[in-house]
Structures are given as C-alpha cells and as structure tokens.
Amino acid sequence: MAPDRPLVGAVTRAVQRADAVPDLRAGVCEAVVDAGYDFACFCDTEREPATASKPDVEPPEPQTVTPTLGSAASGPTPSGSDDAHGTPEPLADDAASPGVAERAVTWVPYDDTFAAAVPVVDADDYYGTLAFGPDEREAADAERERLAAVGRAVGQGVTRLHAVRERDRLRDSLRTERRQFEKLHSIAAAMVGCEDATSIYHLAIDAAENILEFDICGIDVVEDGYLVPKATSTGLESGDSHRLPADSGIAGRTYQENSSIVVDDVAAHEDAEPANPDYTSVLSVPIDDIGVFQAGSREHAAFSQSDVELVELLMAHVSATLRRLRSADALRESEQKYRTLVEQSHDAVVTYADGGFSFVNERASALFGRSREELLAADARELFHPEDRVKVERVVGELTAESGRRQTFESRIRRPDGDVRFCEFSATSIDYEGDVAVLASIRDITERKARERDLERQNERLDEFASVVSHDLRSPINVAQGSLDLADGGDDEHLDRASDALDRMEALVEDVLELARQGRLVDETEAVALSEVATDAWDCVDAPDATLAVETDLVVDADPSRLQELFENLFRNAVEHGSTDPQNAKRSEDAVEHADDDGVAVTVTAYADGFAVTDDGPGLPDGSHDEVFERGFTSAEDGTGFGLAIVESIAAAHGWTIDAVPRDGDADRGARFEITGCRGE
C-alpha cells in the first residue's frame, strides 16, 4: 500500500517536535502511520522497540522486520543481485530476517509483501532501524535515497536530542559541582572556628558524607609511623577502619607519594588491603604530611575526576586549617611563655605607641606608683620628669622610624607622690598591631645613681686628703733637704741620719699618696685576662733571678691598671721577702722594700671564685697573717708598711676580699695570698 502523505516531511516534523529520544521514537512511528503505512517500529539494541499501527492492523513483531545493520553506508538489497535495476527476486516465504553487513535501506518479507528497513544514522553514528510497511519493493536508487533520507533525518534528530541531553547533564553537573564547591567553602569557613583537630576531622567527614554523598569515608593521621583513624562516616563499621603502617596499602602509598589515587576495582590493585571486601572502588587523597582521606563504594569505578578535585579541595581546607590551628597554638604558647617571662621579670616592661602604653607588667605598675589601668589610660609623656620629656620624645621618634632599632638611655620618672626615680631604658622598636611601637625594659637605677654620687664625693675627699698630705709633709721635707744641701762640714754621721730620715719621709709621702689613689672606689670595669695583666706587672718588677708562672686562663671584671698595681705589689713583696737568707727571712711584708737576693719562684693560680699568688720563699712571719694589711705594719727598719695595705685597698675598691694564708705545716710553700669574690666568667 502506498503512503497517503509525503513520508519525509511527516517524519521531519515529528523529529522537530520531539523533546527527548523516547518521544522522538514514538513520534516518528506515529508520523509514518499517519503518512499512510499500516505499521511502523523503531528498534535499537538498548531500549524496548517503539511501535505504531492503524487501528485495524496488528503490527508484526519488531524483530521480524528489523534486521541488524552494520557500519557501511550502502549496499545491496537482501534479495540478491539487482543489476541494471532489473526485476527483483522475491524472497521465500519462510526466509528469516537477514543480517545485513552494510548500513543500507533494505526490504524484509512481510505478509506476502515487504517492510522497508531503514537504518537510523547520522554520519558515523548508528541509532537503530526504522521499519514500516507494507511497502512495495522498489530497488530504484531514488526510492532508496528517499528512504535513507528519512533515516538520516531521524538520526540527526537523535543526535540533536543526545546533545541536548548531554548539555543538560553537564549543566546539571556544573550546578551540582558549584553547589558542592559553595558548600565546601562554607565548611572551610566553619573549620576556622574549630578549636581542636578532632573537630576539623569530623567536620570534613560530615562534608564528604552529606555534600559529596560518599557511601563511606574516613581520615587517618600519621602518628609514630602509623596511620591512625581519627574520624569515620556513619556508614563505616568499626571493623572497616584500623591502624596501619604509614607505608602500607593504598593509604600508605598515597601518604608516601603525596598524590591522589583512584582505584576502580580493589580486587585488581596490587597495593589494596581492603578491610571490607564489599567495597569495590576506593578514592584516596593525601592531607599533605598530616595523613590520608579515603572513601569507598560498593559500585565499580564509582569515583570521577570531579570527585578527586572536590576531595582535594576539601583536604586542602583541612590542611590549611590544621596548620593555622597549630600555628595559633604555638603562638598562644609562645605568647603565654613570653607573658609569664615578662610578668616575672625583675624589670618593668612596657609597650609604648601613640603617646601611651598599650602594655605594662606588674613591675611597671610598682615602678611608676600607679595601677595597671591608670598607666594604660595615662598620657605616657606626663609620667616623665619635665626636663626629660623632650629627650624621651626624640628617642621615641628615632626608634619608631623603622622596626628593629635599639637604644639604651636614661631618664627620670615622677611618681604621684612627687618621688623622682632614675631609670635606665633598654628600648627596641617592634611591629605591633600594624604599626611600629617601642618595647622597653625599664630598670630602677636610683640607688646606683646615689652610689655614684657618694663615690664622686669620696673620691673628692681622697683627692683633698692626698693634696693636704702632700703639701703638709713635702714642705718641711723640702726645707730640711735644702738645709742639708747648704750644710758645709759638721758631723757626717748626723747628716747621714738626717738624709736617711728625709728619704724615708719621701717614701712615706709617696706611699700615702698611692694609698689614697688606690683607695678610690672602682666605677668602671672590663673583662680582663689575669695571665695578660700578671705578665705586664711582672715586667715592671726588677727581679732578673726570680720566675713567674701563670697557671690559669681566668677572666675577671676589673680596672686593668689598678689590677696591675695589685700584682706589682704582691710580686715585689714575694721577690723582696723571698730570699733564703735567714736575715732576709725576718724582713717585713712591705711590698716596696728591697732585697739583694731575687731567686724566688712566684705562681698565679685560680682559686675558688678568684685567684691566688704563691711564692716558695720563707713565707710570712708566724702570727702576722692578720696584721700584714694594716697600714704601717712592718718589721723592717726602712719599711713604710704601706705595700700590702695598698694591695688590700685595690681589692676592696673592686669589692673583692684578700687573705694572707698561713702555711699550716707546708714547709715547701712560702707566702700565699688568696683574692676571692672576683670571678668574671
């Protein structure tokens, strides 16, 4: 039966009206019937056939009229040879639906007539076969092309609808991913508020379970060489997660290589050690050097590249939040230690910026005589002595020009009761709350200033005393000396005695002046090596036959020149009293007296918190060890008794103690002097 309406137009309109492939298949079949055919069916390998027929027609089984078509674009009809468009040979009544190796329009026998079988194609894409009838078997090229055009029109429609469906799928996928990204970012914002790592892990697992919709998932953290479970999803049973070596299984490889791994089939993966064999596919993502996130599914190849990217984003948030949390914990710990250190400091500590204090410790409150609240609310410039404010502002300006500058200066502060305190400021400029501030350690030096003033007054009195002694003693000496020079004749013995007395008075004056000078308190010291100073002092002693051995590398805080004077006097005392001559052994301990035998050996050694000077001479007279430092003590006829007194004055000026040590039966040792309280480092 011939069609009543143009077939191509009817099918094309049906294709254009369709919004989905199922609608297109059904609409095309109805359009074919509307065009005048008794029935139509659309078959492919994936779906149930679509059929349509006239009301009084029972359609054939689709499989009987739709052969399986191959991939070629054209070919012979199933009836065999069709040379020169001759009369076709009819197929036998019992012939089965033939299999065709080419994509070509063919005719299939149907109720003593034929059904046209048209491949539905678009270029190289094959979508199935559209069969309809009855149709006169016309082998003409024009008819074959007309029917092939119907197949192409349907195929193009299917392609278009597939493209629309894929576009919609991609759009929906992008919308889903966008929503997931937005939700993951909201999770990241929520992580910032977490106060511990466990909360961060559980928040990440909740996101993976509810946002990414994973069946099961968990986070393992490396501890002591093992991956230890820290958080698991609600669907994960207790036996599905356990402690593993950090280099074992898929998780271990993920951690060691710091790269994501997707396993479509766990059974086929060499590193897989599944705790539960029901899970077929696995997604494993590293959390930097912290641990591993893993998700599992019972479906084969359940995880896409999009899943990998989303989990990597989530784990990046986890890692960043954990690092911030650890940094914050370390910072809080550091701040607490620093605050404790500052609060327990013996010095006042303040932070100064914009004319006020932003931080003060308790010691600062005590120093300024104000409460912490009063100090923080006060104009800091008003706390300084009026005469020092300009200097303080200048120093602050120099410090805050840039961060990292340091300066030490002195200034006075004034308490509410009018009391003025002298302070030493050790200040450093620092970055503080987006600006440059001054961090200062303040030490009260009021008492030190008072001692310095007392020292100055004492030194002035000593200078005055020395001047008086020098004037009052030197004047009569000069007169007597002049008279002796003018004397001509007379008793030589008396004149010699007078001359000796004048020499002794001159020596006495020099020693008194030296004692006055060495009695001045030491106000400035420096680190001094004993070996160097002792050697320099020995070079000033006239003792060619004596020897010196310095057996210490001790360093002390001292005035170098006055320490050298101390050594010179001790060395002279050893040399001038170290003779083995019995007569010389009875000489006094005076360090400025002279002897003829200089063969003594002197040794300088470390002792306790100081040092000792020892010789191998006859030693000090018995019972004299407590008296040798008294001014004027001497057993020599021409001694002044000031040598060891000068030594004691120098030691006392440094705050040291000196003792003369008895032999206590040690016959091999001579005099020994121990100086303590002076070790510098």
PDB file of all heavy atoms in Angstrom, residues 521-543:
ATOM      1  N   LEU A 521      87.067  54.108  94.962  1.00  0.00           N
ATOM      2  CA  LEU A 521      86.206  53.018  94.503  1.00  0.00           C
ATOM      3  C   LEU A 521      86.282  52.875  92.988  1.00  0.00           C
ATOM      4  O   LEU A 521      86.436  53.861  92.273  1.00  0.00           O
ATOM      5  CB  LEU A 521      84.757  53.263  94.922  1.00  0.00           C
ATOM      6  CG  LEU A 521      84.483  53.275  96.431  1.00  0.00           C
ATOM      7  CD1 LEU A 521      83.020  53.580  96.687  1.00  0.00           C
ATOM      8  CD2 LEU A 521      84.876  51.949  97.059  1.00  0.00           C
ATOM      9  N   VAL A 522      86.157  51.612  92.532  1.00  0.00           N
ATOM     10  CA  VAL A 522      86.193  51.340  91.098  1.00  0.00           C
ATOM     11  C   VAL A 522      84.785  51.515  90.530  1.00  0.00           C
ATOM     12  O   VAL A 522      83.847  50.857  90.974  1.00  0.00           O
ATOM     13  CB  VAL A 522      86.700  49.910  90.838  1.00  0.00           C
ATOM     14  CG1 VAL A 522      86.585  49.569  89.355  1.00  0.00           C
ATOM     15  CG2 VAL A 522      88.124  49.762  91.335  1.00  0.00           C
ATOM     16  N   ASP A 523      84.617  52.419  89.559  1.00  0.00           N
ATOM     17  CA  ASP A 523      83.296  52.643  88.981  1.00  0.00           C
ATOM     18  C   ASP A 523      83.168  52.097  87.563  1.00  0.00           C
ATOM     19  O   ASP A 523      82.063  51.953  87.051  1.00  0.00           O
ATOM     20  CB  ASP A 523      82.934  54.129  88.986  1.00  0.00           C
ATOM     21  CG  ASP A 523      83.985  54.970  88.271  1.00  0.00           C
ATOM     22  OD1 ASP A 523      85.051  54.419  87.938  1.00  0.00           O
ATOM     23  OD2 ASP A 523      83.731  56.167  88.051  1.00  0.00           O
ATOM     24  N   GLU A 524      84.274  51.783  86.917  1.00  0.00           N
ATOM     25  CA  GLU A 524      84.228  51.220  85.573  1.00  0.00           C
ATOM     26  C   GLU A 524      85.164  50.016  85.502  1.00  0.00           C
ATOM     27  O   GLU A 524      86.334  50.109  85.871  1.00  0.00           O
ATOM     28  CB  GLU A 524      84.630  52.247  84.518  1.00  0.00           C
ATOM     29  CG  GLU A 524      83.628  53.383  84.361  1.00  0.00           C
ATOM     30  CD  GLU A 524      83.987  54.300  83.211  1.00  0.00           C
ATOM     31  OE1 GLU A 524      84.958  53.978  82.499  1.00  0.00           O
ATOM     32  OE2 GLU A 524      83.304  55.324  83.022  1.00  0.00           O
ATOM     33  N   THR A 525      84.631  48.884  85.047  1.00  0.00           N
ATOM     34  CA  THR A 525      85.440  47.668  84.905  1.00  0.00           C
ATOM     35  C   THR A 525      85.254  47.097  83.506  1.00  0.00           C
ATOM     36  O   THR A 525      84.362  47.494  82.769  1.00  0.00           O
ATOM     37  CB  THR A 525      85.013  46.610  85.941  1.00  0.00           C
ATOM     38  OG1 THR A 525      83.645  46.249  85.702  1.00  0.00           O
ATOM     39  CG2 THR A 525      85.175  47.126  87.356  1.00  0.00           C
ATOM     40  N   GLU A 526      86.113  46.145  83.205  1.00  0.00           N
ATOM     41  CA  GLU A 526      86.010  45.432  81.937  1.00  0.00           C
ATOM     42  C   GLU A 526      86.555  44.032  82.135  1.00  0.00           C
ATOM     43  O   GLU A 526      87.208  43.733  83.139  1.00  0.00           O
ATOM     44  CB  GLU A 526      86.777  46.159  80.836  1.00  0.00           C
ATOM     45  CG  GLU A 526      88.274  46.274  81.115  1.00  0.00           C
ATOM     46  CD  GLU A 526      88.986  47.089  80.043  1.00  0.00           C
ATOM     47  OE1 GLU A 526      88.790  48.323  79.993  1.00  0.00           O
ATOM     48  OE2 GLU A 526      89.734  46.453  79.265  1.00  0.00           O
ATOM     49  N   ALA A 527      86.254  43.155  81.201  1.00  0.00           N
ATOM     50  CA  ALA A 527      86.757  41.788  81.283  1.00  0.00           C
ATOM     51  C   ALA A 527      88.269  41.783  81.052  1.00  0.00           C
ATOM     52  O   ALA A 527      88.754  42.264  80.028  1.00  0.00           O
ATOM     53  CB  ALA A 527      86.061  40.901  80.251  1.00  0.00           C
ATOM     54  N   VAL A 528      88.994  41.251  82.023  1.00  0.00           N
ATOM     55  CA  VAL A 528      90.456  41.288  81.976  1.00  0.00           C
ATOM     56  C   VAL A 528      90.987  39.870  82.165  1.00  0.00           C
ATOM     57  O   VAL A 528      90.579  39.156  83.089  1.00  0.00           O
ATOM     58  CB  VAL A 528      91.022  42.220  83.069  1.00  0.00           C
ATOM     59  CG1 VAL A 528      92.544  42.220  83.014  1.00  0.00           C
ATOM     60  CG2 VAL A 528      90.475  43.622  82.918  1.00  0.00           C
ATOM     61  N   ALA A 529      91.928  39.463  81.307  1.00  0.00           N
ATOM     62  CA  ALA A 529      92.562  38.157  81.438  1.00  0.00           C
ATOM     63  C   ALA A 529      93.702  38.258  82.455  1.00  0.00           C
ATOM     64  O   ALA A 529      94.621  39.067  82.296  1.00  0.00           O
ATOM     65  CB  ALA A 529      93.096  37.679  80.091  1.00  0.00           C
ATOM     66  N   LEU A 530      93.677  37.445  83.518  1.00  0.00           N
ATOM     67  CA  LEU A 530      94.702  37.506  84.566  1.00  0.00           C
ATOM     68  C   LEU A 530      96.097  37.263  83.991  1.00  0.00           C
ATOM     69  O   LEU A 530      97.072  37.903  84.417  1.00  0.00           O
ATOM     70  CB  LEU A 530      94.409  36.470  85.641  1.00  0.00           C
ATOM     71  CG  LEU A 530      93.304  36.789  86.661  1.00  0.00           C
ATOM     72  CD1 LEU A 530      93.257  35.692  87.705  1.00  0.00           C
ATOM     73  CD2 LEU A 530      93.550  38.134  87.316  1.00  0.00           C
ATOM     74  N   SER A 531      96.195  36.339  83.037  1.00  0.00           N
ATOM     75  CA  SER A 531      97.515  35.993  82.508  1.00  0.00           C
ATOM     76  C   SER A 531      98.184  37.212  81.869  1.00  0.00           C
ATOM     77  O   SER A 531      99.394  37.427  82.032  1.00  0.00           O
ATOM     78  CB  SER A 531      97.382  34.860  81.495  1.00  0.00           C
ATOM     79  OG  SER A 531      96.523  35.239  80.433  1.00  0.00           O
ATOM     80  N   GLU A 532      97.396  38.027  81.157  1.00  0.00           N
ATOM     81  CA  GLU A 532      97.982  39.191  80.487  1.00  0.00           C
ATOM     82  C   GLU A 532      98.396  40.257  81.496  1.00  0.00           C
ATOM     83  O   GLU A 532      99.501  40.815  81.413  1.00  0.00           O
ATOM     84  CB  GLU A 532      96.965  39.763  79.490  1.00  0.00           C
ATOM     85  CG  GLU A 532      96.625  38.821  78.352  1.00  0.00           C
ATOM     86  CD  GLU A 532      95.607  39.421  77.404  1.00  0.00           C
ATOM     87  OE1 GLU A 532      95.243  40.606  77.611  1.00  0.00           O
ATOM     88  OE2 GLU A 532      95.177  38.734  76.461  1.00  0.00           O
ATOM     89  N   VAL A 533      97.501  40.549  82.450  1.00  0.00           N
ATOM     90  CA  VAL A 533      97.813  41.603  83.427  1.00  0.00           C
ATOM     91  C   VAL A 533      98.964  41.168  84.326  1.00  0.00           C
ATOM     92  O   VAL A 533      99.861  41.971  84.645  1.00  0.00           O
ATOM     93  CB  VAL A 533      96.559  41.938  84.255  1.00  0.00           C
ATOM     94  CG1 VAL A 533      96.892  42.988  85.311  1.00  0.00           C
ATOM     95  CG2 VAL A 533      95.446  42.428  83.343  1.00  0.00           C
ATOM     96  N   ALA A 534      98.977  39.910  84.760  1.00  0.00           N
ATOM     97  CA  ALA A 534     100.055  39.436  85.633  1.00  0.00           C
ATOM     98  C   ALA A 534     101.404  39.509  84.915  1.00  0.00           C
ATOM     99  O   ALA A 534     102.429  39.900  85.503  1.00  0.00           O
ATOM    100  CB  ALA A 534      99.770  38.013  86.092  1.00  0.00           C
ATOM    101  N   THR A 535     101.435  39.156  83.640  1.00  0.00           N
ATOM    102  CA  THR A 535     102.680  39.218  82.864  1.00  0.00           C
ATOM    103  C   THR A 535     103.170  40.655  82.732  1.00  0.00           C
ATOM    104  O   THR A 535     104.367  40.939  82.872  1.00  0.00           O
ATOM    105  CB  THR A 535     102.464  38.599  81.477  1.00  0.00           C
ATOM    106  OG1 THR A 535     102.035  37.231  81.639  1.00  0.00           O
ATOM    107  CG2 THR A 535     103.745  38.624  80.664  1.00  0.00           C
ATOM    108  N   ASP A 536     102.233  41.589  82.453  1.00  0.00           N
ATOM    109  CA  ASP A 536     102.613  43.004  82.364  1.00  0.00           C
ATOM    110  C   ASP A 536     103.160  43.506  83.697  1.00  0.00           C
ATOM    111  O   ASP A 536     104.145  44.266  83.741  1.00  0.00           O
ATOM    112  CB  ASP A 536     101.406  43.840  81.940  1.00  0.00           C
ATOM    113  CG  ASP A 536     100.979  43.548  80.507  1.00  0.00           C
ATOM    114  OD1 ASP A 536     101.793  42.988  79.757  1.00  0.00           O
ATOM    115  OD2 ASP A 536      99.829  43.882  80.149  1.00  0.00           O
ATOM    116  N   ALA A 537     102.534  43.087  84.806  1.00  0.00           N
ATOM    117  CA  ALA A 537     103.006  43.516  86.128  1.00  0.00           C
ATOM    118  C   ALA A 537     104.400  42.957  86.415  1.00  0.00           C
ATOM    119  O   ALA A 537     105.264  43.638  86.984  1.00  0.00           O
ATOM    120  CB  ALA A 537     102.013  43.064  87.197  1.00  0.00           C
ATOM    121  N   TRP A 538     104.651  41.724  86.035  1.00  0.00           N
ATOM    122  CA  TRP A 538     105.958  41.109  86.283  1.00  0.00           C
ATOM    123  C   TRP A 538     107.074  41.847  85.535  1.00  0.00           C
ATOM    124  O   TRP A 538     108.185  41.976  86.040  1.00  0.00           O
ATOM    125  CB  TRP A 538     105.903  39.646  85.863  1.00  0.00           C
ATOM    126  CG  TRP A 538     107.152  38.870  86.190  1.00  0.00           C
ATOM    127  CD1 TRP A 538     108.141  38.516  85.354  1.00  0.00           C
ATOM    128  CD2 TRP A 538     107.543  38.389  87.478  1.00  0.00           C
ATOM    129  NE1 TRP A 538     109.130  37.828  86.008  1.00  0.00           N
ATOM    130  CE2 TRP A 538     108.782  37.735  87.342  1.00  0.00           C
ATOM    131  CE3 TRP A 538     106.965  38.438  88.741  1.00  0.00           C
ATOM    132  CZ2 TRP A 538     109.445  37.149  88.399  1.00  0.00           C
ATOM    133  CZ3 TRP A 538     107.625  37.839  89.802  1.00  0.00           C
ATOM    134  CH2 TRP A 538     108.858  37.209  89.636  1.00  0.00           C
ATOM    135  N   ASP A 539     106.737  42.343  84.351  1.00  0.00           N
ATOM    136  CA  ASP A 539     107.743  43.071  83.580  1.00  0.00           C
ATOM    137  C   ASP A 539     108.168  44.368  84.272  1.00  0.00           C
ATOM    138  O   ASP A 539     109.234  44.922  83.970  1.00  0.00           O
ATOM    139  CB  ASP A 539     107.195  43.403  82.182  1.00  0.00           C
ATOM    140  CG  ASP A 539     107.030  42.148  81.331  1.00  0.00           C
ATOM    141  OD1 ASP A 539     107.671  41.126  81.646  1.00  0.00           O
ATOM    142  OD2 ASP A 539     106.232  42.189  80.358  1.00  0.00           O
ATOM    143  N   CYS A 540     107.322  44.858  85.197  1.00  0.00           N
ATOM    144  CA  CYS A 540     107.639  46.106  85.902  1.00  0.00           C
ATOM    145  C   CYS A 540     108.419  45.858  87.197  1.00  0.00           C
ATOM    146  O   CYS A 540     108.770  46.814  87.905  1.00  0.00           O
ATOM    147  CB  CYS A 540     106.350  46.874  86.215  1.00  0.00           C
ATOM    148  SG  CYS A 540     105.449  47.410  84.746  1.00  0.00           S
ATOM    149  N   VAL A 541     108.632  44.588  87.524  1.00  0.00           N
ATOM    150  CA  VAL A 541     109.349  44.251  88.762  1.00  0.00           C
ATOM    151  C   VAL A 541     110.801  43.914  88.413  1.00  0.00           C
ATOM    152  O   VAL A 541     111.057  43.099  87.515  1.00  0.00           O
ATOM    153  CB  VAL A 541     108.669  43.049  89.463  1.00  0.00           C
ATOM    154  CG1 VAL A 541     109.469  42.641  90.698  1.00  0.00           C
ATOM    155  CG2 VAL A 541     107.236  43.397  89.840  1.00  0.00           C
ATOM    156  N   ASP A 542     111.733  44.523  89.143  1.00  0.00           N
ATOM    157  CA  ASP A 542     113.157  44.295  88.897  1.00  0.00           C
ATOM    158  C   ASP A 542     113.569  43.013  89.617  1.00  0.00           C
ATOM    159  O   ASP A 542     113.945  43.039  90.791  1.00  0.00           O
ATOM    160  CB  ASP A 542     113.963  45.492  89.385  1.00  0.00           C
ATOM    161  CG  ASP A 542     115.459  45.337  89.053  1.00  0.00           C
ATOM    162  OD1 ASP A 542     115.781  44.458  88.219  1.00  0.00           O
ATOM    163  OD2 ASP A 542     116.260  46.090  89.624  1.00  0.00           O
ATOM    164  N   ALA A 543     113.462  41.888  88.942  1.00  0.00           N
ATOM    165  CA  ALA A 543     113.772  40.599  89.556  1.00  0.00           C
ATOM    166  C   ALA A 543     114.328  39.662  88.510  1.00  0.00           C
ATOM    167  O   ALA A 543     113.657  38.714  88.074  1.00  0.00           O
ATOM    168  CB  ALA A 543     112.517  40.017  90.202  1.00  0.00           C
TER     169      ALA A 543
END
